[in-house]
Amino acid sequence: MRQKFLEVLIVFNVEDGQLLHGNLNFYEIKNKFKNRVNLQLLFCGSNVSKYLDNSHLDFYGDVSVIEDDSLPWNNPYILAQNISSLGEKNFDVVILPHSITNCGAAAFLAAQFSMECFTAINDFYFDDETLVLEREVFGGFTERILCKLNCIITWLCSHSEPCNNLNGAKYNLIKKSPVECEDLCSVISVEKAQSFSRLSEANVLIAVGRGIGSLENIELAQELALLFDNSSIAASRPVCDNRWLPYKYQVGVTGKTVSPALYFSLGISGSSQHLSGMKNSRCIVSVNKDRYAAISSIADYIVEDDIFVFIPAFIHKVKEKKKILRSR
Amino acid sequence: MKILVCMKVIYDGKDNAFPDYDLPLRINRFDEYALEEALVIKDKFPDTAIDVVTFGYSNSVGLLKKALERGADSLTLIESQEELTPVVCAKLVYSHFKDRGYDIIFTGAMAEDFMSSSFGPALAGFFSFPFAVAAVSCELVNDKRLLVRCELEDGIAVTYSIKLPCLVTMQSGGREIRYPTLTGKLNARGKEAFVVKLDQKKDKSLSYEYKRKKAVKGILIEGSLDERCEYLYNELHKRGLL
């Protein structure tokens, strides 16, 4: 018997002609569903036409567009209401790139569509009519969820670079009117992140997590940072919540997204929110008491030790080596 | 003004012990901020009634009495032995509280154990309330709208004006969490938690497995302290970083 094709919707939000939360690779998704899939795309946002004109989508299928330059698209309620305007069709799976906004929209939609919702998915595959989803949970565990279809997921595997713009293949463009719901939830102001460019400009980031323990211990990270050229300290959210460092140092979903040459993490276990802000760093060193902390899954070098034991010894070692190099 | 605050009690897992159900319990940090935001509204509008609901284990009640001591008016435990998904939990909370006429619902931005960030928005979906996520502060305007400041991706701060009734999920760090006062503790003494027992069974089409993720990608640096320092120095030196 011929197996049923799955209806999969991928949703992107666009702001002023640019994708807001990264790109997803259609071919990768098709492969994950063993090519038994009818993909549909939905672009919601402002200046979507500009994005489509520039991106030369290599895609055969239905592409729906909901475009309104005056609507605040970084609003999960408005995004969800607009996605739900496609609700007459039953989708087996809806996929959004992972972000705070998209998580909110996905869960709201799941309730309205009587679907399940799973967020911050690291990886997934389709096997024996079951969708297998993997996501990080507390303490470096991977939660593996086996579910029948009918679910909405936010996927962490987004690409910052374009990945579908090859041939500009023909697709069927369907324009839809935006849903009027702005009076219920309107945007009053949008402030860009405090202009603290050190985090994005620095070649080396020494990032501290809850394991740093106290405000006084930040000095240790600063001392380590001084060993590297063009370096800065950075932090995970709990460090900022504890007021050990200002929020402008925060890396992660609600902080800055960075990709330095070296990301040296001290006492960071690595929530998915933090990892998504630094996973594109070129080299990641993790010093943590737990070798299986979640950050170890993406780190290049893992030191399983107390940071207050290892880092002073490492600083001493580097100073010693530099002294030898200078004396030559 | 009627406010519902949803709070979760989680296992205080050490990094290498989760999920170990013998661990001590604590209140999810983000939910403490959700309650605080409701209490700030009650400070300004003393007629406000704050109901707290929690979902899960019967031993959560002792900890959540702190919410009553801090100023909440009632505490309801929806008791379930099954591990349910956030969307199913939201549906059950909705079915229990849908007729109470809440003006605002506060939840934490996420639970620290499963980090889904989906319970709050799903609850908004069932109530069909407008909502905002990852808020750091709220201000009530004319009893009709809530001004909500949220921290979204890449540190962007957005202020929304949301029409009541609405739901807001709270991020951490926006305000100082208050301690219970002596009066609060005395007032809480006479209050008991309402317990709702459910026989909701887990959806059989879902199953969960947990596995320890091995540090497969990177090199685990081993040896004596000096050897490890030497190795890491050499690697970073080879990469031109030191």
Side-chain angles (χ1 to χ4, degrees), chain A residues 74 100 116 119 135 139 141 144 183-184 186 188-189 191 237 241 243 255 257 300-302 317 321, chain B residues 18 29 85 114 116 145 149 151 153-154 157 159-161 163 172-173 207 209 212 219 221 230 235:
Chain A
N74 48 10
I100 298 174
E116 258 303 348
T119 58
R135 58 189 301 277
F141 277 85
R144 186 186 286 160
D183 176 54
L184 292 176
S186 53
I188 301 296
S189 68
E191 294 162 46
R237 173 118 198 164
D241 285 346
R243 306 286 188 265
T257 301
D300 298 281
Y301 302 101
I302 299 136
K317 172 67 74 181
K321 292 277 185 184
Chain B
F18 179 82
R29 190 165 53 100
T85 66
F114 289 95
S116 292
R145 297 189 81 93
R149 185 181 160 85
E151 288 186 357
E153 293 77 22
D154 290 329
T159 303
Y160 299 105
S161 166
K163 194 172 175 184
S172 59
S207 64
E209 291 170 4
R212 252 304 191 190
I219 298 165
I221 304 176
E230 180 83 21
E235 289 297 307

Side-chain angles (χ1 to χ4, degrees), chain A residues 21 74-77 99-101 104 107-108 111-112 115-119 134-148 183-191 193 227-228 237 241 243 247 253-255 257 261-262 264 269 271 273 283 290-292 296-302 304-305 310 313-314 317-318 321 325, chain B residues 13 15-16 18-19 29 85 87-88 110 112-118 121-122 124-126 128-131 133-134 136 145 147 149 151-163 171-173 205-215 217-222 225-226 228-233 235-237 239 241-242:
Chain A
H21 306 302
N74 48 10
N75 179 327
Y77 178 65
S99 71
I100 298 174
T101 307
F108 184 89
Q112 299 233 315
M115 294 172 90
E116 258 303 348
C117 175
F118 300 103
T119 58
E134 290 189 348
R135 58 189 301 277
E136 298 283 334
V137 293
F138 191 66
F141 277 85
T142 298
E143 180 184 28
R144 186 186 286 160
I145 303 158
L146 286 75
C147 67
K148 296 298 170 193
D183 176 54
L184 292 176
C185 186
S186 53
V187 169
I188 301 296
S189 68
V190 178
E191 294 162 46
L227 301 176
F228 296 91
R237 173 118 198 164
D241 285 346
R243 306 286 188 265
Y247 282 99
V253 172
T254 52
T257 301
L262 172 61
F264 203 127
S269 56
S271 68
Q273 283 73 14
C283 175
D290 179 12
R291 70 168 71 175
Y292 295 125
S296 300
S297 64
I298 60 162
D300 298 281
Y301 302 101
I302 299 136
E304 185 184 24
D305 207 341
F310 182 79
F314 183 68
K317 172 67 74 181
V318 176
K321 292 277 185 184
L325 283 176
Chain B
D15 277 355
N16 53 5
F18 179 82
R29 190 165 53 100
T85 66
V87 175
V88 174
M110 66 167 156
E112 288 172 89
D113 50 3
F114 289 95
M115 300 189 286
S116 292
S117 307
S118 50
F126 287 115
S128 290
F129 280 5
F131 69 102
V133 294
V136 285
R145 297 189 81 93
L147 269 187
R149 185 181 160 85
E151 288 186 357
L152 302 179
E153 293 77 22
D154 290 329
I156 292 175
V158 182
T159 303
Y160 299 105
S161 166
I162 309 180
K163 194 172 175 184
Q171 177 61 274
S172 59
S205 67
L206 287 173
S207 64
Y208 309 92
E209 291 170 4
Y210 297 97
K211 62 170 184 175
R212 252 304 191 190
K213 189 147 191 168
K214 288 182 183 166
K217 185 183 178 249
I219 298 165
L220 179 67
I221 304 176
E222 292 180 294
L225 182 60
D226 188 60
R228 284 179 290 156
C229 290
E230 180 83 21
Y231 182 88
L232 185 59
Y233 172 83
E235 289 297 307
L236 297 182
H237 186 66
R239 288 171 176 258
L241 293 163
L242 265 174

Side-chain angles (χ1 to χ4, degrees), chain A residues 122 136-137 139-141 207-209 236 251 263-272 274-279 281 283-303, chain B residues 15 212-219:
Chain A
N122 276 339
E136 298 283 334
V137 293
F141 277 85
V208 292
S236 65
V251 169
Y263 193 87
F264 203 127
S265 86
L266 309 181
I268 292 179
S269 56
S271 68
S272 55
H274 185 78
L275 299 189
S276 66
M278 46 66 75
K279 65 182 179 195
S281 304
C283 175
I284 299 169
V285 176
S286 165
V287 185
N288 199 301
K289 277 184 194 167
D290 179 12
R291 70 168 71 175
Y292 295 125
I295 198 166
S296 300
S297 64
I298 60 162
D300 298 281
Y301 302 101
I302 299 136
V303 180
Chain B
D15 277 355
R212 252 304 191 190
K213 189 147 191 168
K214 288 182 183 166
V216 284
K217 185 183 178 249
I219 298 165

Side-chain angles (χ1 to χ4, degrees), chain B residues 175-214:
Chain B
R175 296 186 193 272
E176 292 286 324
I177 303 292
R178 71 188 65 190
Y179 289 104
T181 59
L182 183 60
T183 320
K185 284 186 175 181
L186 291 172
N187 285 342
R189 271 191 188 172
K191 294 176 188 169
E192 289 300 320
F194 301 102
V195 179
V196 181
K197 291 204 175 190
L198 285 180
D199 57 355
Q200 175 80 21
K201 295 288 178 229
K202 197 159 91 177
D203 182 351
K204 283 183 181 155
S205 67
L206 287 173
S207 64
Y208 309 92
E209 291 170 4
Y210 297 97
K211 62 170 184 175
R212 252 304 191 190
K213 189 147 191 168
K214 288 182 183 166

